[in-house]
Amino acid sequence: ISPYSRRLRNGKNNPKNYPYWDQVIDRVSGLGYDVVQIGENNESKFNKVKNFIIGANFDKLKSLVNNSKTFISVDNFFPHFCAYSTNVGGVVIFSLSDPNIFGYAHNINLLKDRSYLRKEQFGIWEAVEFNRNAFVEPLAVTAAVESQISMNKLKGA
């Protein structure tokens, strides 16, 4: 999982940060999958994650993804990195940003409802507020993970 987007300069919670990671990690772990978290030094590790990789370089990230069943991420740099350096499709959780602009067709792009999309898609993130209601529920993420793993198997990823 790549659970966080860059910290905002105003110190507020980034509107792209999914609020239900604990439930998703519980469900995915319950399916028998190991969850690996990637991130930076200033990010919090989730309790049920056994392996937290901090500050990995691009080669390490590429190897990690290529040896994984799938990835789960918020709309941050990671889906873009995976699109150009691996052939593993993932699950990307959107809230206020538009997956029709920022998503990739080989991923499952989850958006609760287009009514939550921010008006200025290319504006700064400090200009909008975090909205917990803009995110899909954990069950939708888990179902998408199972579906993406099946699709990755079919294409040999």
Side-chain angles (χ1 to χ4, degrees):
I1 64 173
S2 178
Y4 300 109
S5 282
R6 184 174 294 251
R7 288 190 183 257
L8 297 181
R9 293 168 290 208
N10 62 9
K12 292 183 178 181
N13 190 12
N14 192 308
K16 298 194 275 183
N17 289 346
Y18 187 66
Y20 307 114
W21 281 112
D22 286 320
Q23 294 96 317
V24 169
I25 293 166
D26 280 345
R27 290 177 184 278
V28 171
S29 297
L31 294 172
Y33 298 110
D34 292 327
V35 177
V36 176
Q37 180 180 343
I38 62 165
E40 298 299 325
N41 284 325
N42 61 354
E43 295 176 353
S44 300
K45 176 185 177 281
F46 290 94
N47 289 332
K48 298 219 174 158
V49 169
K50 295 177 183 144
N51 192 359
F52 183 20
I53 300 172
I54 299 171
N57 65 33
F58 288 159
D59 289 335
K60 170 85 173 169
L61 291 175
K62 181 178 178 179
S63 175
L64 180 64
V65 174
N66 281 329
N67 290 298
S68 297
K69 304 272 185 210
T70 192
F71 67 87
I72 314 169
S73 180
V74 294
D75 174 28
N76 61 18
F77 99 98
F78 199 62
H80 304 290
F81 170 79
C82 292
Y84 290 101
S85 61
T86 76
N87 66 347
V88 177
V91 175
V92 184
I93 303 167
F94 289 86
S95 60
L96 308 180
S97 54
D98 191 343
N100 291 342
I101 299 170
F102 303 107
Y104 295 91
H106 60 272
N107 293 330
I108 296 176
N109 300 306
L110 297 175
L111 177 68
K112 184 172 184 177
D113 193 279
R114 295 190 66 77
S115 66
Y116 290 107
L117 295 177
R118 66 188 185 143
K119 184 177 180 179
E120 299 294 330
Q121 284 294 303
F122 295 96
I124 62 169
W125 282 100
E126 287 82 0
V128 293
E129 294 295 320
F130 177 84
N131 182 355
R132 171 180 291 275
N133 296 323
F135 293 95
V136 297
E137 298 299 322
L139 189 57
V141 178
T142 307
V145 166
E146 290 182 287
S147 180
Q148 188 63 59
I149 289 171
S150 295
M151 286 190 287
N152 286 342
K153 282 182 189 175
L154 289 174
K155 69 178 191 174

